[in-house]
Amino acid sequence: AKKPGENAVDIAKRVIDRFGQLEGTYIPEGVEVVITRDYGSTADAKAKKLISKLVFATGSVVLLVALALGWREAVIVGAAVVVTLAITLFASWAWGFTLNRVSLFALIFSIGILVDDAIVVVENIHRHLAMGGKRLLEAIPTAVDEVGGPTILATFTVIAALLPMAFVSGLMGPYMSPIPINASLGMLISLAVAFVFTPWMTNRLLGRVDFSGHAHAAARPSGLQRFFDRVMTPFLAGRAGRRNRWKLLAGVLVLIALSLSLAGFKLVVLKMLPFDDKSELQVVLDMPEGTSLEQTARVLNEIGQYLATVPEVTDYQVYAGTSAPISFNGLVRQYYLRDGAHQGSIQVNLADKHHRDRKSHEIALAVRRPIQAIASGFDGNAKIVEVPPGPPVQAPLVAEIYGLDYEGQIDAAKDVRKVFENTVDIIDIDDSVEYPSDKRVVVVDRAKASTLGVPQSAIAQALATVLEGEDVSYVHGDKYKYAVPIRVRLSEADKGDLQQVLALRVRSLSGALVPLSELVDVEESSRAYSIHHKDLLPVVYVTGDMAGETDSPLYGMFEMSAALAAQGGPLQWFFSQPDNPYEYSLKWDGEWQVTFETFRDMGIAYSVGLLLIYLLVVGQFRSYLVPLVIMAPIPLTVIGIMPGHALVGAQFTATSMIGMIALAGIIVRNSILLVDFVNQEVREGVALEAAVVRSAAVRAKPITLTGLAAMAGAFFILDDPIFSGLAVSLIFGIFVSTVLTLIVIPVVYYGVMHRRVDRIRAAAD
């Protein structure tokens, strides 16, 4: 554990250095020291890798602008990105965030949207200069003013989509908060940079560039103009245009329905977070209660011998009858309390992921069956525990059994465990019910003890000495800081034999030695169950995990819920806290609880974001209908997101949802630019049909550039196991929705507004 604000990398290095100083002084010779895990070095390696990705993502965006507009414009955008990132990092530090994996991912994710404002401003200045007839100092204010309103509105729509995610509750809240907060801060800063720094930089770099040669080319219809004229004309004027617009709408709705059906057919698997590729695993072993420490160690050593044959395993540490150093899982699963003789664990360290072909999850799947076979051969239960990619939970699948009677809860838990065992791909099944174990109560026969002259305290002390030991003297020495006690007790083998224990003789008041067996009676009994409680209610847990092709505990939970419903019986199951916990009932917990809370809050954040976007657009366009047209492309993102996940074989996770929410603001920005340009053209007297086509032709370049910039930033996080869902959502969602937006939005806007525009012009005439 470290103090807030301290650097884990520096702390780990100082601890290692201090340990080296202790060797030869406090650590005697002959003691070998091996560092098995160094989370400081892994954190440092991950941070450096992400910083390099941040640099490459910025460079790719600058290169993209250079190819599309020119090297001077690329320098302007690159400088704007550097300034924006520098101020954003300062603002993030002032907010209290540290430079960690999530905050760095937030910056990489934000690269694509931080440059949007600068690209739109630079591209529009470039377009006005290419049109000719204006000096640079005259073109800059006009160009910035033309896109100023929609750019401000578009920036706030992106913030409105992202910022509500900062209020996600539960364990995922602090984990996710750097993404919406850093991205929102960056958007505000990028807006200021685009309106202040970018025009100044443009004046400095483009002041001496001659654009007169572009004026004649700009006067001729461009290739984009001809393309959109050919594509959109069938959807515009006349009865045929109206019929084609309805066909277009029907086609889009069919594509959305087909995309959503991919999740229903499990072609896209829904999961909280995918497994990360870590360099460690943990084997947790539970033997039957009463198992000796030696037997537990024997089973752990046999498992260790098998692990030594796995090529990716570099080393392992065995902990028998004691807890291993606290791990990320142990924070919730309370592994630090595992100190019984029948409990043990193995910490398994793997080679660096760059030096092995299989991911850690693949290795865990491969070794699970052999390890469980070894443990089951000794009546033990071994579980392979992976480092969770998100918040740790007690187990991926947890069934909490409530009821009025604890014995009845145990019986219900046994039935639920059978459902776990009969469900395909459910693994690592366990429960909190303890094995029944015998108990022997030694009762002093007071009458005999009194007759033989043996005090009861002497009998109790003798038993305590035999079982626990007693310090009879101390060893003192110059090399010892404290006196070393000399403890007398029976061997472990003798303590395990009750007859041997009771053969011990105690001295009576008369001086005679009397065996304990003549002074006590032994009553056979059974050990009481440990009763687990949650929220002050007794509870029995049944836990498990899911492996296989689907590899998502949510599907296993729904399958088991259906099996329980088909069985009937008094046991009722719930996805939330039972209405009456004093009836026999089951509540699903584990990964489901985190998933439910996260997606519930993100769904609420998505809804709030859409409402804020609608209100912002209403305030800008003074209409309740136009915002619906502008927000129409938001559902189009699904056409790219779901097939994109299916195409690359990625699971739809919480980070995928973050990308989907961010897309709502990004895509609305494109719609605003299109609709605002149509309105400008109409106000200047251009026919609505021509304005609609021209809006797509003129705004296609900045819209495509900003979309490609966001996709370029996302490409650099595509290889990360956790954030790949975010990258897939952005890449495929932006690609498909941008292409469709350039056609759908102008056509829909024409279908909604052409009659109103005709009436206004008729009234004016």
Side-chain angles (χ1 to χ4, degrees):
K2 69 180 182 67
K3 291 188 294 185
E6 295 293 333
N7 191 330
V9 179
D10 295 337
I11 293 174
K13 184 179 182 303
R14 289 201 300 267
V15 168
I16 295 171
D17 293 342
R18 176 58 59 86
F19 206 90
Q21 296 168 1
L22 296 176
E23 292 182 310
T25 53
Y26 288 96
I27 300 176
E29 295 181 2
V31 176
E32 183 180 357
V33 178
V34 178
I35 297 174
T36 58
R37 278 169 289 169
D38 183 0
Y39 293 142
S41 64
T42 56
D44 188 44
K46 289 179 180 179
K48 288 180 178 177
K49 182 178 180 180
L50 289 176
I51 290 174
S52 66
K53 286 187 175 184
L54 182 63
V55 173
F56 282 116
T58 305
S60 66
V61 172
V62 173
L63 179 61
L64 176 67
V65 177
L67 295 174
L69 300 178
W71 69 268
R72 292 181 178 84
E73 288 81 355
V75 171
I76 296 169
V77 172
V81 172
V82 172
V83 172
T84 302
L85 283 178
I87 302 176
T88 302
L89 283 172
F90 174 78
S92 180
W93 169 80
W95 193 276
F97 289 126
T98 58
L99 198 64
N100 54 45
R101 191 161 177 250
V102 179
S103 60
L104 283 172
F105 267 113
L107 291 176
I108 297 174
F109 151 73
S110 302
I111 281 292
I113 58 178
L114 292 184
V115 298
D116 284 2
D117 294 342
I119 288 177
V120 170
V121 170
V122 170
E123 193 279 333
N124 208 46
I125 294 173
H126 183 279
R127 184 176 69 87
H128 275 262
L129 290 174
M131 291 167 59
K134 293 180 183 177
R135 292 185 300 108
L136 180 61
L137 287 177
E138 296 175 349
I140 287 177
T142 304
V144 174
D145 180 65
E146 184 178 270
V147 296
T151 300
I152 294 173
L153 178 61
T155 300
F156 279 99
T157 58
V158 176
I159 295 173
L162 289 172
L163 195 57
M165 283 193 295
F167 300 96
V168 171
S169 62
L171 293 173
M172 279 294 288
Y175 184 81
M176 291 171 49
S177 59
I179 295 177
I181 293 177
N182 275 344
S184 299
L185 287 173
M187 288 301 297
L188 286 175
I189 294 167
S190 70
L191 182 64
V193 170
F195 285 162
V196 177
F197 178 81
T198 302
W200 172 81
M201 194 77 176
T202 303
N203 184 49
R204 300 288 296 179
L205 288 182
L206 300 184
R208 298 181 180 179
V209 179
D210 184 15
F211 284 86
S212 59
H214 297 271
H216 299 293
R220 298 192 301 269
S222 64
L224 285 174
Q225 179 74 32
R226 293 191 296 271
F227 170 77
F228 283 107
D229 193 26
R230 185 168 59 254
V231 171
M232 289 187 182
T233 300
F235 297 100
L236 300 181
R239 182 174 298 177
R242 182 179 181 184
R243 185 167 57 250
N244 290 333
R245 288 196 296 272
W246 282 108
K247 289 180 180 179
L248 177 64
L249 176 61
V252 169
L253 293 177
V254 169
L255 289 176
I256 293 174
L258 291 175
S259 300
L260 293 175
S261 68
L262 294 176
F265 290 108
K266 296 185 182 180
L267 296 175
V268 176
V269 175
L270 304 179
K271 196 173 187 292
M272 178 63 203
L273 285 173
F275 285 102
D276 199 354
D277 190 6
K278 298 290 187 178
S279 295
E280 60 178 289
L281 299 171
Q282 193 171 7
V283 180
V284 176
L285 175 67
D286 289 301
M287 299 294 289
E289 278 88 348
T291 302
S292 65
L293 180 65
E294 291 78 9
Q295 179 70 359
T296 303
R298 176 188 173 190
V299 179
L300 289 170
N301 287 329
E302 288 209 18
I303 296 174
Q305 291 174 8
Y306 163 74
L307 288 170
T309 64
V310 179
E312 292 88 353
V313 174
T314 58
D315 56 80
Y316 62 90
Q317 297 81 48
V318 175
Y319 301 91
T322 185
S323 61
I326 187 68
S327 62
F328 193 42
N329 272 309
L331 296 173
V332 171
R333 303 186 186 187
Q334 300 178 340
Y335 285 164
Y336 55 89
L337 299 177
R338 294 175 53 83
D339 55 0
H342 63 285
Q343 297 174 324
S345 62
I346 302 177
Q347 174 66 35
V348 185
N349 297 320
L350 306 175
D352 186 82
K353 61 184 179 181
H354 299 103
H355 301 148
R356 50 183 163 88
D357 296 328
R358 294 190 296 179
K359 295 183 178 180
S360 60
H361 182 56
E362 297 174 13
I363 299 171
L365 293 176
V367 303
R368 176 175 276 110
R369 192 177 297 277
I371 288 176
Q372 289 179 336
I374 295 172
S376 61
F378 297 92
D379 296 327
N381 184 13
K383 296 184 284 291
I384 308 299
V385 180
E386 301 180 58
V387 179
V393 293
Q394 184 176 351
L397 285 167
V398 178
E400 299 175 357
I401 312 299
Y402 295 94
L404 184 61
D405 177 63
Y406 200 70
E407 294 293 334
Q409 291 176 244
I410 293 176
D411 294 337
K414 292 178 180 178
D415 294 336
V416 172
R417 177 161 182 159
K418 291 179 182 177
V419 175
F420 272 67
E421 293 170 346
N422 294 331
T423 304
V424 180
D425 293 336
I426 301 298
I427 56 173
D428 289 348
I429 301 168
D430 201 358
D431 56 53
S432 62
V433 179
E434 296 179 351
Y435 289 92
S437 56
D438 296 333
K439 177 182 178 181
R440 293 175 176 85
V441 181
V442 178
V443 181
V444 178
D445 190 330
R446 297 183 180 183
K448 284 186 178 181
S450 178
T451 301
L452 296 173
V454 180
Q456 297 182 46
S457 59
I459 298 172
Q461 184 178 358
L463 283 172
T465 301
V466 169
L467 298 176
E468 299 178 4
E470 181 178 357
D471 297 340
V472 296
S473 184
Y474 295 89
V475 176
H476 300 273
D478 295 337
K479 296 183 178 180
Y480 299 136
K481 187 174 183 179
Y482 301 103
V484 179
I486 302 174
R487 172 158 291 197
V488 177
R489 63 184 177 187
L490 285 183
S491 65
E492 295 296 330
D494 289 337
K495 285 195 293 184
D497 185 356
L498 184 59
Q499 297 302 321
Q500 186 73 17
V501 172
L502 296 181
L504 181 69
R505 297 172 182 267
V506 294
R507 190 175 298 278
S508 66
L509 295 177
S510 63
L513 293 175
V514 182
L516 287 175
S517 57
E518 296 184 8
L519 301 171
V520 299
D521 296 322
V522 179
E523 297 179 356
E524 299 290 336
S525 179
S526 59
R527 191 181 300 275
Y529 289 111
S530 297
I531 300 179
H532 294 259
H533 287 77
K534 182 176 180 180
D535 297 334
L536 304 180
L537 294 171
V539 61
V540 178
Y541 297 105
V542 182
T543 60
D545 197 354
M546 189 171 185
E549 186 176 352
T550 304
D551 199 19
S552 175
L554 299 180
Y555 293 92
M557 182 192 68
F558 288 129
E559 189 173 342
M560 288 188 291
S561 298
L564 289 170
Q567 286 182 359
L571 186 68
Q572 304 178 40
W573 54 271
F574 299 88
F575 289 126
S576 58
Q577 198 67 28
D579 298 330
N580 185 359
Y582 300 106
E583 294 179 351
Y584 290 115
S585 52
L586 179 154
K587 175 190 176 292
W588 291 108
D589 202 88
E591 187 173 307
W592 156 256
Q593 189 66 31
V594 181
T595 304
F596 169 73
E597 291 177 351
T598 302
F599 279 90
R600 176 200 63 194
D601 291 352
M602 292 180 73
I604 295 173
Y606 193 33
S607 303
V608 171
L610 295 179
L611 178 60
L612 291 175
I613 291 173
Y614 179 79
L615 295 176
L616 286 170
V617 180
V618 167
Q620 173 69 18
F621 289 94
R622 300 291 192 271
S623 170
Y624 293 105
L625 182 61
V626 172
L628 297 178
V629 176
I630 289 176
M631 297 173 68
I634 293 178
L636 301 180
T637 59
V638 177
I639 302 175
I641 292 173
M642 301 305 286
H645 280 78
L647 186 63
V648 302
Q651 298 169 326
F652 188 88
T653 62
T655 57
S656 303
M657 187 70 178
I658 294 175
M660 186 174 177
I661 293 174
L663 279 174
I666 295 172
I667 296 304
V668 165
R669 163 195 290 272
N670 299 338
S671 300
I672 292 172
L673 290 174
L674 288 168
V675 172
D676 184 76
F677 189 86
V678 172
N679 290 343
Q680 289 182 26
E681 293 288 290
V682 171
R683 283 196 295 268
E684 293 175 6
V686 179
L688 181 60
E689 292 85 351
V692 163
V693 176
R694 182 166 163 73
S695 70
V698 172
R699 293 303 186 211
K701 195 169 187 177
I703 287 175
T704 304
L705 271 178
T706 54
L708 289 174
M711 292 169 64
F715 266 111
F716 288 92
I717 58 176
L718 189 60
D719 61 339
D720 185 84
I722 305 300
F723 286 89
S724 60
L726 171 61
V728 172
S729 292
L730 288 178
I731 292 171
F732 288 93
I734 289 176
F735 174 74
V736 173
S737 58
T738 299
V739 172
L740 292 177
T741 297
L742 287 171
I743 298 173
V744 172
I745 290 304
V747 170
V748 172
Y749 190 70
Y750 174 83
V752 171
M753 301 298 293
H754 72 282
R755 292 182 180 176
R756 180 178 300 181
V757 172
D758 291 341
R759 287 197 302 268
I760 293 174
R761 286 186 171 172
D765 294 339

